[in-house]
mmCIF file of all heavy atoms in Angstrom:
data_model
loop_
_atom_site.group_PDB
_atom_site.id
_atom_site.type_symbol
_atom_site.label_atom_id
_atom_site.label_comp_id
_atom_site.label_asym_id
_atom_site.label_seq_id
_atom_site.Cartn_x
_atom_site.Cartn_y
_atom_site.Cartn_z
ATOM 1 N N VAL A 160 119.455 83.512 107.283
ATOM 2 C CA VAL A 160 120.051 84.222 108.444
ATOM 3 C C VAL A 160 121.390 83.612 108.805
ATOM 4 O O VAL A 160 122.380 84.342 109.018
ATOM 5 C CB VAL A 160 119.135 84.334 109.670
ATOM 6 C CG1 VAL A 160 119.842 84.908 110.848
ATOM 7 C CG2 VAL A 160 117.872 85.195 109.318
ATOM 8 N N ASP A 161 121.442 82.291 108.919
ATOM 9 C CA ASP A 161 122.629 81.614 109.298
ATOM 10 C C ASP A 161 123.744 81.840 108.242
ATOM 11 O O ASP A 161 124.866 82.060 108.589
ATOM 12 C CB ASP A 161 122.424 80.072 109.391
ATOM 13 C CG ASP A 161 121.617 79.761 110.646
ATOM 14 O OD1 ASP A 161 121.562 80.615 111.558
ATOM 15 O OD2 ASP A 161 121.071 78.675 110.693
ATOM 16 N N ARG A 162 123.373 81.928 106.984
ATOM 17 C CA ARG A 162 124.319 82.175 105.924
ATOM 18 C C ARG A 162 124.911 83.620 106.058
ATOM 19 O O ARG A 162 126.065 83.847 105.833
ATOM 20 C CB ARG A 162 123.732 82.012 104.538
ATOM 21 C CG ARG A 162 123.442 80.483 104.301
ATOM 22 C CD ARG A 162 122.621 80.305 102.977
ATOM 23 N NE ARG A 162 122.442 78.927 102.705
ATOM 24 C CZ ARG A 162 121.657 78.442 101.768
ATOM 25 N NH1 ARG A 162 120.984 79.223 100.957
ATOM 26 N NH2 ARG A 162 121.520 77.103 101.525
ATOM 27 N N ALA A 163 123.988 84.562 106.391
ATOM 28 C CA ALA A 163 124.449 85.951 106.489
ATOM 29 C C ALA A 163 125.299 86.108 107.720
ATOM 30 O O ALA A 163 126.271 86.862 107.732
ATOM 31 C CB ALA A 163 123.177 86.849 106.609
ATOM 32 N N LYS A 164 125.015 85.388 108.789
ATOM 33 C CA LYS A 164 125.756 85.487 110.053
ATOM 34 C C LYS A 164 127.202 85.064 109.830
ATOM 35 O O LYS A 164 128.136 85.666 110.390
ATOM 36 C CB LYS A 164 125.157 84.687 111.174
ATOM 37 C CG LYS A 164 123.928 85.344 111.805
ATOM 38 C CD LYS A 164 123.438 84.430 112.914
ATOM 39 C CE LYS A 164 122.284 85.107 113.703
ATOM 40 N NZ LYS A 164 121.697 84.237 114.723
ATOM 41 N N VAL A 165 127.454 84.033 108.989
ATOM 42 C CA VAL A 165 128.771 83.626 108.763
ATOM 43 C C VAL A 165 129.619 84.777 108.176
ATOM 44 O O VAL A 165 130.815 84.997 108.609
ATOM 45 C CB VAL A 165 128.848 82.441 107.838
ATOM 46 C CG1 VAL A 165 130.223 82.081 107.296
ATOM 47 C CG2 VAL A 165 128.143 81.175 108.486
ATOM 48 N N VAL A 166 129.076 85.527 107.263
ATOM 49 C CA VAL A 166 129.766 86.637 106.650
ATOM 50 C C VAL A 166 129.989 87.742 107.663
ATOM 51 O O VAL A 166 131.084 88.284 107.769
ATOM 52 C CB VAL A 166 129.047 87.121 105.408
ATOM 53 C CG1 VAL A 166 129.852 88.296 104.751
ATOM 54 C CG2 VAL A 166 128.813 86.019 104.408
ATOM 55 N N ALA A 167 128.993 88.066 108.405
ATOM 56 C CA ALA A 167 129.095 89.182 109.419
ATOM 57 C C ALA A 167 130.158 88.815 110.481
ATOM 58 O O ALA A 167 130.975 89.657 110.889
ATOM 59 C CB ALA A 167 127.762 89.367 110.148
ATOM 60 N N ASP A 168 130.223 87.574 110.847
ATOM 61 C CA ASP A 168 131.244 87.140 111.831
ATOM 62 C C ASP A 168 132.643 87.213 111.266
ATOM 63 O O ASP A 168 133.629 87.600 111.948
ATOM 64 C CB ASP A 168 130.989 85.721 112.262
ATOM 65 C CG ASP A 168 129.747 85.575 113.223
ATOM 66 O OD1 ASP A 168 129.263 86.634 113.694
ATOM 67 O OD2 ASP A 168 129.297 84.423 113.506
ATOM 68 N N ARG A 169 132.772 86.858 110.005
ATOM 69 C CA ARG A 169 134.131 86.896 109.359
ATOM 70 C C ARG A 169 134.530 88.317 109.132
ATOM 71 O O ARG A 169 135.770 88.641 109.357
ATOM 72 C CB ARG A 169 134.097 86.131 108.057
ATOM 73 C CG ARG A 169 135.401 86.169 107.247
ATOM 74 C CD ARG A 169 136.496 85.487 108.037
ATOM 75 N NE ARG A 169 137.782 85.548 107.405
ATOM 76 C CZ ARG A 169 138.662 86.563 107.570
ATOM 77 N NH1 ARG A 169 138.332 87.561 108.376
ATOM 78 N NH2 ARG A 169 139.773 86.588 106.894
ATOM 79 N N LEU A 170 133.612 89.212 108.780
ATOM 80 C CA LEU A 170 133.917 90.609 108.674
ATOM 81 C C LEU A 170 134.366 91.217 110.007
ATOM 82 O O LEU A 170 135.310 92.042 110.105
ATOM 83 C CB LEU A 170 132.781 91.418 108.119
ATOM 84 C CG LEU A 170 132.990 92.874 107.834
ATOM 85 C CD1 LEU A 170 134.061 93.121 106.854
ATOM 86 C CD2 LEU A 170 131.694 93.576 107.375
ATOM 87 N N THR A 171 133.645 90.827 111.073
ATOM 88 C CA THR A 171 134.022 91.275 112.405
ATOM 89 C C THR A 171 135.426 90.885 112.756
ATOM 90 O O THR A 171 136.204 91.675 113.267
ATOM 91 C CB THR A 171 133.046 90.724 113.450
ATOM 92 O OG1 THR A 171 131.660 91.166 113.165
ATOM 93 C CG2 THR A 171 133.386 91.079 114.840
ATOM 94 N N ALA A 172 135.762 89.642 112.538
ATOM 95 C CA ALA A 172 137.125 89.118 112.835
ATOM 96 C C ALA A 172 138.162 89.907 112.052
ATOM 97 O O ALA A 172 139.248 90.236 112.546
ATOM 98 C CB ALA A 172 137.223 87.641 112.498
ATOM 99 N N GLN A 173 137.846 90.283 110.765
ATOM 100 C CA GLN A 173 138.742 91.071 110.001
ATOM 101 C C GLN A 173 139.020 92.426 110.575
ATOM 102 O O GLN A 173 140.181 92.941 110.622
ATOM 103 C CB GLN A 173 138.272 91.111 108.501
ATOM 104 C CG GLN A 173 139.103 91.929 107.592
ATOM 105 C CD GLN A 173 140.446 91.387 107.267
ATOM 106 O OE1 GLN A 173 140.688 90.158 107.525
ATOM 107 N NE2 GLN A 173 141.392 92.157 106.803
#
Side-chain angles (χ1 to χ4, degrees):
V160 172
D161 287 343
R162 292 174 176 171
K164 280 182 177 178
V165 170
V166 181
D168 289 347
R169 180 62 184 87
L170 181 62
T171 297
Q173 177 68 17

